[in-house]
Amino acid sequence: MIISAAHKYSQDTNKLYEVFTDANFYQEKFSGVGAKNVQILDASDADEKFSITTQRDVPADVPGLLKKFLGEWNTIKQTEVWQSYGDNEFGSEISIEAAGVPVKIGGSMLLRPEGDGCVNDIELEIECSVPFVGKSLAEFVAADSKKSLEQEYQFIVSYLRGE
């Protein structure tokens, strides 16, 4: 299952790349959208790439059928590896794991110029290998991921305004 989003910003790609390669930003972002126990597990800037691995507990309103796989709070480990693609474009490979949940999430982000600002094109692929309820679990995770992407987008817009 693939989900995608295009987040538009009035700032240019260089400004967004500066924000997305600041470890402190991730701490603020995840706390700002309701996560608990936010930790920066690793952050490095080497070989013209910025890599960050975070961990956080996120709430989920889980339907009864899926409570075997998901709790009210789930621990998420996320890794992003950012780099310049040239021509004011920046990209990131992303991987997300939920502790004890048989779902894999991987994807990419592309910051590209548009007009006076930029767009962050996001694509996530969600895979679940559990028979019978796997499709329902993947659909729930996809819907929850879309909601999280929107919350993070709203946080980033406010953050860039200095709010």
Side-chain angles (χ1 to χ4, degrees), residues 51-82:
S51 175
I52 185 160
T53 301
T54 59
Q55 184 171 293
R56 64 199 183 274
D57 295 336
V58 298
D61 186 16
V62 183
L65 173 70
L66 302 178
K67 288 190 179 190
K68 176 180 177 182
F69 301 103
L70 296 163
E72 287 183 34
W73 287 87
N74 297 282
T75 301
I76 303 294
K77 183 177 178 184
Q78 180 170 325
T79 300
E80 295 179 23
V81 180
W82 283 94

Short mmCIF file of all heavy atoms in Angstrom, two decimals, residues 51-82:
data_model
loop_
_atom_site.label_atom_id
_atom_site.label_comp_id
_atom_site.label_asym_id
_atom_site.label_seq_id
_atom_site.Cartn_x
_atom_site.Cartn_y
_atom_site.Cartn_z
N SER A 51 22.19 11.88 8.59
CA SER A 51 21.40 10.72 9.00
C SER A 51 20.91 10.94 10.43
O SER A 51 21.68 11.37 11.29
CB SER A 51 22.27 9.46 8.94
OG SER A 51 21.57 8.35 9.44
N ILE A 52 19.64 10.64 10.66
CA ILE A 52 19.09 10.76 12.01
C ILE A 52 18.16 9.58 12.28
O ILE A 52 17.35 9.20 11.43
CB ILE A 52 18.36 12.11 12.22
CG1 ILE A 52 17.91 12.23 13.68
CG2 ILE A 52 17.21 12.30 11.25
CD1 ILE A 52 17.64 13.64 14.12
N THR A 53 18.33 9.01 13.47
CA THR A 53 17.44 7.95 13.93
C THR A 53 16.80 8.42 15.23
O THR A 53 17.49 8.82 16.16
CB THR A 53 18.22 6.64 14.17
OG1 THR A 53 18.84 6.25 12.93
CG2 THR A 53 17.29 5.53 14.62
N THR A 54 15.48 8.38 15.23
CA THR A 54 14.71 8.83 16.40
C THR A 54 13.84 7.69 16.90
O THR A 54 13.55 6.74 16.16
CB THR A 54 13.81 10.02 16.04
OG1 THR A 54 12.91 9.63 15.00
CG2 THR A 54 14.62 11.22 15.59
N GLN A 55 13.41 7.82 18.14
CA GLN A 55 12.45 6.88 18.72
C GLN A 55 11.45 7.67 19.53
O GLN A 55 11.81 8.64 20.19
CB GLN A 55 13.18 5.86 19.59
CG GLN A 55 12.27 4.79 20.16
CD GLN A 55 13.07 3.70 20.83
OE1 GLN A 55 13.79 2.97 20.18
NE2 GLN A 55 12.95 3.62 22.14
N ARG A 56 10.20 7.24 19.48
CA ARG A 56 9.15 7.96 20.21
C ARG A 56 7.97 7.03 20.43
O ARG A 56 7.81 6.04 19.72
CB ARG A 56 8.71 9.20 19.44
CG ARG A 56 8.06 8.87 18.09
CD ARG A 56 8.05 10.06 17.16
NE ARG A 56 7.39 9.81 15.90
CZ ARG A 56 7.96 9.29 14.83
NH1 ARG A 56 9.21 8.91 14.87
NH2 ARG A 56 7.27 9.13 13.71
N ASP A 57 7.16 7.37 21.42
CA ASP A 57 5.92 6.65 21.66
C ASP A 57 4.78 7.51 21.12
O ASP A 57 4.70 8.70 21.43
CB ASP A 57 5.71 6.41 23.17
CG ASP A 57 6.77 5.49 23.76
OD1 ASP A 57 7.35 4.69 23.00
OD2 ASP A 57 7.02 5.58 24.98
N VAL A 58 3.95 6.89 20.29
CA VAL A 58 2.85 7.62 19.66
C VAL A 58 1.52 6.98 20.02
O VAL A 58 1.42 5.75 20.15
CB VAL A 58 3.01 7.68 18.12
CG1 VAL A 58 4.28 8.43 17.74
CG2 VAL A 58 3.00 6.31 17.50
N PRO A 59 0.48 7.81 20.17
CA PRO A 59 -0.84 7.26 20.50
C PRO A 59 -1.51 6.69 19.25
O PRO A 59 -1.24 7.12 18.13
CB PRO A 59 -1.59 8.50 21.01
CG PRO A 59 -0.95 9.65 20.31
CD PRO A 59 0.49 9.27 20.13
N ALA A 60 -2.38 5.72 19.46
CA ALA A 60 -3.17 5.15 18.36
C ALA A 60 -4.54 4.77 18.89
O ALA A 60 -4.67 4.18 19.95
CB ALA A 60 -2.46 3.93 17.78
N ASP A 61 -5.56 5.14 18.14
CA ASP A 61 -6.94 4.76 18.46
C ASP A 61 -7.23 3.48 17.68
O ASP A 61 -7.71 3.52 16.55
CB ASP A 61 -7.89 5.89 18.08
CG ASP A 61 -9.31 5.62 18.52
OD1 ASP A 61 -9.51 4.73 19.38
OD2 ASP A 61 -10.22 6.30 18.01
N VAL A 62 -6.91 2.35 18.29
CA VAL A 62 -6.89 1.07 17.60
C VAL A 62 -8.25 0.38 17.65
O VAL A 62 -8.81 0.21 18.74
CB VAL A 62 -5.81 0.16 18.23
CG1 VAL A 62 -5.72 -1.15 17.48
CG2 VAL A 62 -4.47 0.86 18.27
N PRO A 63 -8.77 -0.07 16.49
CA PRO A 63 -10.01 -0.85 16.50
C PRO A 63 -9.77 -2.22 17.13
O PRO A 63 -8.65 -2.75 17.11
CB PRO A 63 -10.38 -0.98 15.02
CG PRO A 63 -9.18 -0.59 14.26
CD PRO A 63 -8.28 0.19 15.14
N GLY A 64 -10.81 -2.82 17.69
CA GLY A 64 -10.71 -4.08 18.42
C GLY A 64 -9.98 -5.19 17.69
O GLY A 64 -9.16 -5.89 18.27
N LEU A 65 -10.24 -5.36 16.41
CA LEU A 65 -9.64 -6.42 15.62
C LEU A 65 -8.11 -6.34 15.62
O LEU A 65 -7.43 -7.35 15.53
CB LEU A 65 -10.17 -6.35 14.18
CG LEU A 65 -9.53 -7.26 13.14
CD1 LEU A 65 -9.93 -8.72 13.42
CD2 LEU A 65 -9.97 -6.87 11.74
N LEU A 66 -7.56 -5.13 15.74
CA LEU A 66 -6.12 -4.93 15.61
C LEU A 66 -5.39 -4.77 16.95
O LEU A 66 -4.18 -4.58 16.97
CB LEU A 66 -5.84 -3.71 14.72
CG LEU A 66 -6.45 -3.80 13.32
CD1 LEU A 66 -6.17 -2.53 12.54
CD2 LEU A 66 -5.94 -5.02 12.57
N LYS A 67 -6.13 -4.85 18.05
CA LYS A 67 -5.50 -4.66 19.37
C LYS A 67 -4.47 -5.71 19.71
O LYS A 67 -3.62 -5.50 20.55
CB LYS A 67 -6.56 -4.56 20.46
CG LYS A 67 -7.30 -3.24 20.38
CD LYS A 67 -8.19 -2.99 21.56
CE LYS A 67 -8.84 -1.63 21.36
NZ LYS A 67 -9.52 -1.14 22.48
N LYS A 68 -4.51 -6.83 19.00
CA LYS A 68 -3.49 -7.86 19.19
C LYS A 68 -2.12 -7.36 18.69
O LYS A 68 -1.08 -7.77 19.18
CB LYS A 68 -3.89 -9.12 18.41
CG LYS A 68 -2.88 -10.24 18.45
CD LYS A 68 -3.37 -11.44 17.66
CE LYS A 68 -2.32 -12.52 17.64
NZ LYS A 68 -2.74 -13.67 16.86
N PHE A 69 -2.13 -6.45 17.72
CA PHE A 69 -0.90 -5.97 17.10
C PHE A 69 -0.48 -4.59 17.57
O PHE A 69 0.71 -4.26 17.55
CB PHE A 69 -1.07 -5.93 15.57
CG PHE A 69 -1.43 -7.26 14.98
CD1 PHE A 69 -2.73 -7.53 14.61
CD2 PHE A 69 -0.47 -8.24 14.83
CE1 PHE A 69 -3.07 -8.76 14.06
CE2 PHE A 69 -0.80 -9.48 14.29
CZ PHE A 69 -2.11 -9.74 13.91
N LEU A 70 -1.44 -3.76 17.94
CA LEU A 70 -1.16 -2.38 18.31
C LEU A 70 -1.74 -2.05 19.67
O LEU A 70 -2.83 -2.52 20.00
CB LEU A 70 -1.77 -1.42 17.28
CG LEU A 70 -1.20 -1.50 15.86
CD1 LEU A 70 -2.14 -0.82 14.89
CD2 LEU A 70 0.17 -0.86 15.81
N GLY A 71 -1.04 -1.22 20.43
CA GLY A 71 -1.54 -0.78 21.72
C GLY A 71 -2.04 0.66 21.64
O GLY A 71 -2.03 1.27 20.57
N GLU A 72 -2.44 1.20 22.79
CA GLU A 72 -2.84 2.60 22.82
C GLU A 72 -1.66 3.52 22.53
O GLU A 72 -1.82 4.60 22.00
CB GLU A 72 -3.45 2.94 24.18
CG GLU A 72 -4.82 2.35 24.39
CD GLU A 72 -5.41 2.76 25.72
OE1 GLU A 72 -5.17 3.89 26.17
OE2 GLU A 72 -6.13 1.93 26.30
N TRP A 73 -0.46 3.07 22.93
CA TRP A 73 0.79 3.78 22.64
C TRP A 73 1.74 2.78 21.99
O TRP A 73 1.85 1.64 22.45
CB TRP A 73 1.42 4.35 23.91
CG TRP A 73 0.67 5.53 24.43
CD1 TRP A 73 -0.40 5.51 25.28
CD2 TRP A 73 0.90 6.91 24.11
NE1 TRP A 73 -0.84 6.78 25.51
CE2 TRP A 73 -0.06 7.67 24.81
CE3 TRP A 73 1.82 7.57 23.31
CZ2 TRP A 73 -0.12 9.05 24.72
CZ3 TRP A 73 1.77 8.95 23.23
CH2 TRP A 73 0.81 9.68 23.93
N ASN A 74 2.40 3.20 20.93
CA ASN A 74 3.32 2.33 20.20
C ASN A 74 4.67 3.02 20.04
O ASN A 74 4.73 4.22 19.78
CB ASN A 74 2.73 1.97 18.84
CG ASN A 74 1.45 1.19 18.98
OD1 ASN A 74 1.46 0.01 19.25
ND2 ASN A 74 0.32 1.87 18.84
N THR A 75 5.73 2.25 20.20
CA THR A 75 7.08 2.79 20.06
C THR A 75 7.50 2.73 18.60
O THR A 75 7.50 1.66 17.99
CB THR A 75 8.08 2.00 20.93
OG1 THR A 75 7.64 2.08 22.30
CG2 THR A 75 9.48 2.57 20.82
N ILE A 76 7.86 3.89 18.08
CA ILE A 76 8.24 4.04 16.68
C ILE A 76 9.72 4.41 16.60
O ILE A 76 10.18 5.31 17.29
CB ILE A 76 7.43 5.17 16.00
CG1 ILE A 76 5.93 4.93 16.13
CG2 ILE A 76 7.86 5.39 14.56
CD1 ILE A 76 5.41 3.75 15.38
N LYS A 77 10.43 3.70 15.75
CA LYS A 77 11.83 4.03 15.46
C LYS A 77 11.88 4.47 14.00
O LYS A 77 11.37 3.75 13.12
CB LYS A 77 12.73 2.82 15.69
CG LYS A 77 14.19 3.09 15.47
CD LYS A 77 15.00 1.84 15.79
CE LYS A 77 16.47 2.04 15.54
NZ LYS A 77 17.21 0.78 15.77
N GLN A 78 12.44 5.64 13.76
CA GLN A 78 12.44 6.22 12.41
C GLN A 78 13.84 6.66 12.04
O GLN A 78 14.52 7.31 12.84
CB GLN A 78 11.48 7.40 12.36
CG GLN A 78 11.39 8.09 11.03
CD GLN A 78 10.25 9.09 11.00
OE1 GLN A 78 9.19 8.88 11.59
NE2 GLN A 78 10.46 10.18 10.29
N THR A 79 14.26 6.34 10.83
CA THR A 79 15.55 6.78 10.31
C THR A 79 15.33 7.54 9.01
O THR A 79 14.58 7.09 8.14
CB THR A 79 16.48 5.58 10.05
OG1 THR A 79 16.69 4.88 11.28
CG2 THR A 79 17.83 6.03 9.51
N GLU A 80 15.99 8.70 8.92
CA GLU A 80 15.98 9.49 7.70
C GLU A 80 17.43 9.76 7.31
O GLU A 80 18.26 10.05 8.17
CB GLU A 80 15.27 10.83 7.90
CG GLU A 80 13.79 10.69 8.21
CD GLU A 80 13.09 12.02 8.44
OE1 GLU A 80 13.57 13.07 7.96
OE2 GLU A 80 12.05 12.00 9.12
N VAL A 81 17.72 9.65 6.02
CA VAL A 81 19.05 9.96 5.50
C VAL A 81 18.87 10.99 4.39
O VAL A 81 18.33 10.68 3.32
CB VAL A 81 19.78 8.70 4.97
CG1 VAL A 81 21.16 9.08 4.45
CG2 VAL A 81 19.88 7.63 6.05
N TRP A 82 19.30 12.22 4.69
CA TRP A 82 19.13 13.35 3.78
C TRP A 82 20.42 13.63 3.00
O TRP A 82 21.51 13.48 3.54
CB TRP A 82 18.77 14.62 4.56
CG TRP A 82 17.35 14.65 5.02
CD1 TRP A 82 16.86 14.25 6.23
CD2 TRP A 82 16.23 15.11 4.26
NE1 TRP A 82 15.50 14.43 6.26
CE2 TRP A 82 15.09 14.96 5.06
CE3 TRP A 82 16.08 15.63 2.97
CZ2 TRP A 82 13.82 15.31 4.64
CZ3 TRP A 82 14.82 15.98 2.54
CH2 TRP A 82 13.70 15.83 3.37
#
